Amino acid sequence: FPSHDRQVCTGLEDVAPVEGSASVAVSGTVYRKAEAEVVPMNLNLGSVRVGEPVSVAALRVRNKASADGYSDDLGVRVVSGSSGFELSGSGVLAAGEEREFSARYVGSTKTAGVKRGQLSVGLESKGQAGSGLADVTLKPVTVKVSATVYRPAVGVLESSALDL
């Protein structure tokens, strides 16, 4: 090795130079980060009448990374919900795996109108066991959520005296 190489490579300073050439085999494994897909990005939980509960809807999360053994798993967790909307569940998805999480509205339905909010889904690329790679936080995904509350019709019967 030329002397300038010995100074750059750690652990070689005390090795005597070798005349001739040498072969060194170097190998490593490259992993790709998890890649999240969250659908739908605008989630409508449907319509109800005043005082009724809003139905639950599914938010699908998929790890789009190739399932060839060299992709990180995708960690999914709920970061936050706003305006009475919640997302339940958390989990780890292997490459190519998809899972549904339940979105719901737990706010008041005592007044009519459109209820709007957001759900923030936290994502993490989780290093494969034994790879020595640390988990990496990915950009969270924000999903817009809505539900509509209608007033029921109210009938009124008025009577008056009829002259027959």
Side-chain angles (χ1 to χ4, degrees):
F1 297 109
S3 63
H4 68 278
D5 285 343
R6 284 188 292 139
Q7 294 170 358
V8 173
C9 298
T10 60
L12 296 180
E13 290 85 6
D14 297 328
V15 175
V18 176
E19 294 295 323
S21 63
S23 295
V24 176
V26 178
S27 66
T29 305
V30 178
Y31 291 87
R32 67 183 66 78
K33 289 181 187 175
E35 186 179 352
E37 177 181 49
V38 179
V39 289
M41 292 301 291
N42 292 299
L43 184 60
N44 186 327
L45 301 183
S47 301
V48 297
R49 291 190 176 86
V50 168
E52 294 178 348
V54 175
S55 27
V56 174
L59 184 68
R60 290 189 321 275
V61 180
R62 182 169 76 102
N63 184 353
K64 292 182 3 177
S66 179
D68 60 2
Y70 298 102
S71 296
D72 285 353
D73 291 342
L74 177 67
V76 180
R77 63 185 169 78
V78 178
V79 176
S80 66
S82 69
S83 305
F85 290 94
E86 292 182 345
L87 185 65
S88 64
S90 63
V92 176
L93 285 68
E97 186 180 358
E98 181 176 302
R99 190 172 302 160
E100 290 186 349
F101 296 87
S102 298
R104 70 178 111 277
Y105 178 70
V106 295
S108 173
T109 59
K110 292 180 181 178
T111 58
V114 177
K115 312 299 180 183
R116 289 186 176 90
Q118 295 180 341
L119 298 170
S120 183
V121 181
L123 303 167
E124 188 174 50
S125 188
K126 302 189 79 55
Q128 290 287 334
S131 70
L133 297 172
D135 297 346
V136 176
T137 300
L138 303 175
K139 182 179 177 184
V141 173
T142 300
V143 177
K144 294 179 182 179
V145 192
S146 64
T148 306
V149 179
Y150 289 95
R151 278 185 289 287
V154 178
V156 176
L157 177 62
E158 292 184 17
S159 63
S160 59
L162 294 175
D163 290 330
L164 298 176

